Amino acid sequence: MKVLICFLFLLGSLSNTILSQTLVEPNQNFIWESFSFRFPEAVVVKEESTTQKKLTVYPAKRDGFFMVVRILPWSEPVTEKNLWTESVFQKPINPKQSEKKIFGKSFQVYEADQIRNQNALRNQVWVQMDSKPYLWIWLQWKSDRKDLNDFFESNLFLSL
């Protein structure tokens, strides 16, 4: 039994390996897999190797938001709203769906407010619809951070 547990632990650690961790300054373009992002404050960007390519972004100095970016292995993106609201948002408040065009690229944007651990949170999931590889971005930030509301809701994080 101990051998099986050790094997599973080793297998799990090999399938989810941190490839790099970088400090990125505010409003600096950060390029990942041919996509370019900007952040409102200094962040730590962690690239991981999983079954999908994954980038995780955390603020370097204070709490307030996080961002997960994945390249999806789909042949066609899933666009059914109920799938997103039920699988991504836990107990969503006022879920919405819209389409946005940014720098000529089409995105489906799913939004919902949420209360988690006594924090009021804003959530957005962006799915690039018009070209492969499909890009999936999940943003979550504290609602009381008005600077983050303006930054993320104005699409300033995308500098594709």
Side-chain angles (χ1 to χ4, degrees):
M1 183 68 174
K2 285 183 181 181
V3 172
L4 178 61
I5 291 172
C6 288
F7 175 74
L8 291 174
F9 178 74
L10 179 62
L11 182 64
S13 64
L14 291 176
S15 67
N16 191 7
T17 305
I18 296 174
L19 298 177
S20 68
Q21 195 162 307
T22 306
L23 178 66
V24 179
E25 295 299 322
N27 296 313
Q28 176 183 16
N29 281 342
F30 178 79
I31 309 290
W32 179 72
E33 296 290 328
S34 78
F35 299 103
S36 180
F37 302 97
R38 290 184 334 158
F39 309 106
E41 56 192 60
V43 296
V44 174
V45 176
K46 181 171 60 171
E47 185 177 354
E48 296 178 60
S49 173
T50 62
T51 56
Q52 302 169 9
K53 294 180 181 184
K54 177 182 172 186
L55 187 74
T56 306
V57 180
Y58 300 96
K61 297 180 181 177
R62 62 180 177 160
D63 195 20
F65 77 95
F66 82 92
M67 179 175 177
V68 176
V69 182
R70 294 179 188 262
I71 294 179
L72 300 175
W74 300 337
S75 58
E76 292 294 326
V78 177
T79 58
E80 188 177 323
K81 179 181 178 181
N82 291 339
L83 271 174
W84 288 102
T85 56
E86 292 172 10
S87 65
V88 175
F89 305 128
Q90 296 175 353
K91 299 181 184 174
I93 302 168
N94 300 323
K96 297 179 223 166
Q97 177 184 353
S98 62
E99 188 171 321
K100 294 189 180 191
K101 260 202 170 334
I102 311 290
F103 301 112
K105 300 194 183 291
S106 294
F107 289 89
Q108 283 295 121
V109 180
Y110 302 87
E111 301 178 71
D113 292 327
Q114 184 177 21
I115 304 295
R116 189 183 280 178
N117 298 330
Q118 299 179 348
N119 290 308
L121 303 172
R122 297 276 304 139
N123 290 278
Q124 290 184 342
V125 172
W126 291 64
V127 181
Q128 185 178 353
M129 303 300 291
D130 56 355
S131 65
K132 293 181 185 178
Y134 296 111
L135 185 66
W136 180 88
I137 304 167
W138 178 23
L139 301 162
Q140 186 176 73
W141 68 93
K142 290 185 174 182
S143 297
D144 61 352
R145 291 277 312 268
K146 299 301 179 199
D147 59 323
L148 295 178
N149 285 342
D150 293 341
F151 186 84
F152 290 122
E153 291 177 0
S154 298
N155 318 320
L156 297 176
F157 66 96
L158 288 172
S159 57
L160 301 169

